[in-house]
Amino acid sequence: MSLPRIAVDAMGGDEGVRVMIEGAALARRRHDRFKFLLVGDEAKIAQALDHHPNLRGASEILHAPEAVAGDERPTQALRRARTTSMGLAIDAVKRGEAGAAVSGGNTGALMAMAKLALRTMPGIDRPALAALLPTLGTHDLVMLDLGANTDCDARNLFQFALMGAAYARIVHGLDSPRVRLLNIGTEETKGTDDLRDAAALLKHAAASLALTFDGFTESDKLSRGDFDVVVTDGFSGNIALKAMEGAARFVGDLLRRSFASSLRSKIGFLISKPATETLKHHLDPNNHNGAVFLGLNGVVVKSHGSASAMGVANAVAVTARLLEENLIERIAADVAAVDPDTIRQPARRRVANTEGETAL
Amino acid sequence: MSLPRIAVDAMGGDEGVRVMIEGAALARRRHDRFKFLLVGDEAKIAQALDHHPNLRGASEILHAPEAVAGDERPTQALRRARTTSMGLAIDAVKRGEAGAAVSGGNTGALMAMAKLALRTMPGIDRPALAALLPTLGTHDLVMLDLGANTDCDARNLFQFALMGAAYARIVHGLDSPRVRLLNIGTEETKGTDDLRDAAALLKHAAASLALTFDGFTESDKLSRGDFDVVVTDGFSGNIALKAMEGAARFVGDLLRRSFASSLRSKIGFLISKPATETLKHHLDPNNHNGAVFLGLNGVVVKSHGSASAMGVANAVAVTARLLEENLIERIAADVAAVDPDTIRQPARRRVANTEGETAL
């Protein structure tokens, strides 16, 4: 099967063209079936390609005169969709000239542009940004939303759970992924009304869905491997994800300081270096790079702004995997299989019903 | 100066009476000026005291026939304020029979009871739970709110900033603590309306306050030591705090696995043990135990439910410190020094004014 080509926003990412092109080249060296549409400043891309003849042979360049700035407001970026590398990469997906788009640029702008150009799939009100987090278990945890939607109501959260479960089934081959809602306690009374309503919706509907709803979880349990999908609004998800990243880096810094504190520790460090290198590799965000917007009529992957070339290559590999596994069609089929009343009915009314039905 | 005695809710905490009493005994061994009112089941406390004659001599027992359950709704716990150990410990503070209360029990119930019995101080609408987090800098970070208030508006956040700064001045001896608001980005456009409004309030008022307002921060920057106080609503604060705890534990678990993976790594581990022990000590939540409710007319300290005796002893030491330093009076003085218009005026109106004044 031939893989549709991947549109790369070559101007996205803090490091600019060089890293994006190097990342694409690295991905191409690993998988020679990958083909690319490189979108951005033509001269800069051509110059970067001089170092990667292998990639040049598998790529076409699409010139974009402008780039979206990192601090640009999404509404402002939207107006420049036809001239920016990000806008043109997404447009290529819309017009079928690429199968997917990858960008390391402004997340809010990417979300806004992708939503406007590709639209959400039937039955989904808002797309969500999903990523894979390392755990102590046998596979990574699917976490969404990571920042696409600051405010989410119960129905949004319910839809995120559906999409997250579909994603976990695809990437981990699970039959009925275990799904939890992120909250500040596990008791049913904890959290916001929206969280409690979403829990009621999921509890009510889980039997007819291809997922197991396990209730609430707290953010200190995300790395244990006890469940497969964690669902949250974009604000809390972003706060939790970055808190974990920061804490992991903090522990690494402390460890380095401790090892450097005495000659004995330095010797111990040298001897145990293979162990700490394994840890470093496991925790390096570049090895988990590539967050995907679920719920759109097209595959759009966000690479971390500060990703290395290896990180970009991993985001490209994630993108290719989602194309091969027909992510969009499979999520759409899952959503279509849900009783429309369950997913479309306002949460409040549904919750009232649920409570009535289960009243003691 | 003689220190007022500390009321200890002996029934709070997951481990029950034994750990709370052992913790108080440990604190007493370290500081023989500490005196206690031990509140809870008289027979159980007396039995636990048999192992700690040193504590028995410095304590009085106040019998409470009941205890607040860990999963009890705050509204339900409030009705049992006169019969539970938690309620009676707080009541002792209200009646001046103790200078402060420490509990390891249900946080929501503790907050509700403390607020009802002690009331918030003039100029403060809601109390906030504040704790000290380890950083790479020269001192811990003051973080609030950690879960007392699920929803917070701009005025709540502004008041938390005031109280957090006062707390940082007291515990770290700073003149003008650097305060930031927790958000999902540092750009002015990021986050919720309440966060943007709180930022506008702080920006407007900072010149007349004993603090420096540094704008927004993201949750991956909390351990760097770049600022002294971080302010957030209780939902996000709880999510961030637990995410950091979980990630630190995750890294520790991975490190243990890595060290156990080969003979070479095991030898390296043994040699570098002093280094990893330092790390373990630094990260042990027991060493940072003792979160304080700021904004009440009395000192109430929350010990972590799963704290060890050493953790409880640390929470007691924090409590004593706050009594010695006259926390309540100093925060009240700070709040009183703020122009009442700034703090009481609805945030929306104030923000409108601010924008008008600074319009380009």
Side-chain angles (χ1 to χ4, degrees), chain A residues 198-258:
Chain A
L201 272 175
L202 281 165
K203 212 170 169 179
H204 179 80
S208 63
L209 306 174
L211 61 84
T212 309
F213 178 58
D214 275 0
F216 295 132
T217 187
E218 293 169 280
S219 57
D220 57 343
K221 315 275 189 314
L222 299 182
S223 309
R224 288 194 186 173
D226 297 341
F227 43 90
D228 310 301
V229 180
V230 66
V231 174
T232 168
D233 67 272
F235 192 91
S236 306
N238 195 283
I239 293 279
L241 182 73
K242 286 180 183 158
M244 289 188 283
E245 284 174 4
R249 204 178 314 122
F250 174 59
V251 175
D253 289 344
L254 283 180
L255 196 64
R256 252 187 302 283
R257 273 196 194 179
S258 301

Side-chain angles (χ1 to χ4, degrees), chain B residues 284-306:
Chain B
D284 185 346
N286 283 302
N287 294 318
H288 308 275
N289 193 33
V292 55
F293 286 102
L294 299 178
L296 296 170
N297 297 305
V299 176
V300 177
V301 170
K302 170 74 173 83
S303 170
H304 200 291
S306 62

Side-chain angles (χ1 to χ4, degrees), chain B residues 90-111:
Chain B
I90 291 168
D91 188 57
V93 177
K94 185 184 179 182
R95 288 182 294 112
E97 295 186 6
V102 179
S103 176
N106 185 323
T107 310
L110 185 63
M111 158 80 172

Side-chain angles (χ1 to χ4, degrees), chain B:
Chain B
M1 188 194 89
S2 92
L3 192 69
R5 65 181 176 175
I6 296 169
V8 174
D9 169 10
M11 315 308 284
D14 306 344
E15 297 284 328
V17 178
R18 193 190 53 76
V19 168
M20 295 305 293
I21 297 299
E22 201 179 316
L26 193 55
R28 166 74 188 177
R29 273 205 294 281
R30 290 185 195 157
H31 303 278
D32 64 6
R33 69 189 185 290
F34 288 5
K35 289 195 167 51
F36 296 94
L37 181 66
L38 304 173
V39 191
D41 183 292
E42 191 166 13
K44 285 185 183 164
I45 294 173
Q47 196 183 358
L49 280 176
D50 281 349
H51 305 281
H52 304 287
N54 129 63
L55 176 63
R56 186 160 50 194
S59 303
E60 190 185 332
I61 300 176
L62 175 61
H63 179 67
E66 299 180 335
V68 172
D71 58 355
E72 197 166 333
R73 287 182 195 234
T75 47
Q76 193 182 336
L78 275 180
R79 282 182 229 126
R80 306 199 295 139
R82 287 164 188 280
T83 52
T84 53
S85 56
M86 188 187 279
L88 290 174
I90 291 168
D91 188 57
V93 177
K94 185 184 179 182
R95 288 182 294 112
E97 295 186 6
V102 179
S103 176
N106 185 323
T107 310
L110 185 63
M111 158 80 172
M113 284 183 174
K115 197 177 164 189
L116 188 69
L118 303 174
R119 305 280 166 186
T120 51
M121 54 177 65
I124 297 296
D125 298 316
R126 293 192 199 172
L129 191 58
L132 297 172
L133 265 69
T135 70
L136 292 171
T138 51
H139 54 254
D140 289 351
L141 173 71
V142 173
M143 183 167 176
L144 73 169
D145 173 32
L146 294 174
N149 308 282
T150 305
D151 283 312
C152 294
D153 64 19
R155 197 164 73 170
N156 296 139
L157 295 170
F158 176 80
Q159 293 171 4
F160 295 173
L162 274 187
M163 298 194 293
Y167 189 43
R169 284 210 307 285
I170 291 168
V171 292
H172 299 317
L174 302 167
D175 286 334
S176 182
R178 296 160 298 177
V179 176
R180 296 214 190 177
L181 286 168
L182 185 64
N183 200 345
I184 58 172
T186 52
E187 302 85 4
E188 283 191 6
T189 58
K190 284 287 172 76
T192 61
D193 289 341
D194 286 321
L195 274 169
R196 288 188 292 264
D197 290 352
L201 272 175
L202 281 164
K203 212 169 169 183
H204 179 81
S208 64
L209 306 174
L211 62 84
T212 308
F213 177 57
D214 274 359
F216 296 131
T217 187
E218 294 170 279
S219 57
D220 58 343
K221 315 275 189 314
L222 300 182
S223 309
R224 288 196 186 172
D226 296 340
F227 42 91
D228 310 301
V229 180
V230 66
V231 173
T232 168
D233 68 90
F235 192 91
S236 306
N238 196 283
I239 293 280
L241 183 71
K242 286 180 183 158
M244 289 189 282
E245 284 174 5
R249 207 179 311 120
F250 174 60
V251 175
D253 289 344
L254 283 181
L255 195 64
R256 252 187 303 282
R257 276 194 192 178
S258 303
F259 276 131
S261 63
S262 72
L263 181 61
R264 176 177 163 172
S265 298
K266 280 179 193 158
I267 292 169
F269 174 72
L270 285 176
I271 293 173
S272 51
K273 207 163 182 187
T276 53
E277 285 297 315
T278 305
L279 177 71
K280 209 171 148 185
H281 177 83
H282 200 97
L283 291 176
D284 185 346
N286 283 302
N287 294 318
H288 308 275
N289 193 33
V292 55
F293 286 102
L294 299 178
L296 296 170
N297 297 305
V299 176
V300 177
V301 170
K302 170 74 173 83
S303 170
H304 200 291
S306 62
S308 66
M310 194 195 62
V312 174
N314 284 331
V316 169
V318 165
T319 314
R321 173 102 191 262
L322 298 178
L323 286 173
E324 285 168 337
E325 302 271 4
N326 296 313
L327 173 81
I328 305 300
E329 292 73 12
R330 287 171 70 176
I331 291 185
D334 269 20
V335 175
V338 175
D339 175 5
D341 278 348
T342 302
I343 198 169
R344 292 194 168 278
Q345 206 170 348
R348 288 288 166 188
R349 216 176 114 203
R350 163 62 55 192
V351 170
N353 289 351
T354 308
E355 280 182 353
E357 285 159 19
T358 61
L360 295 175

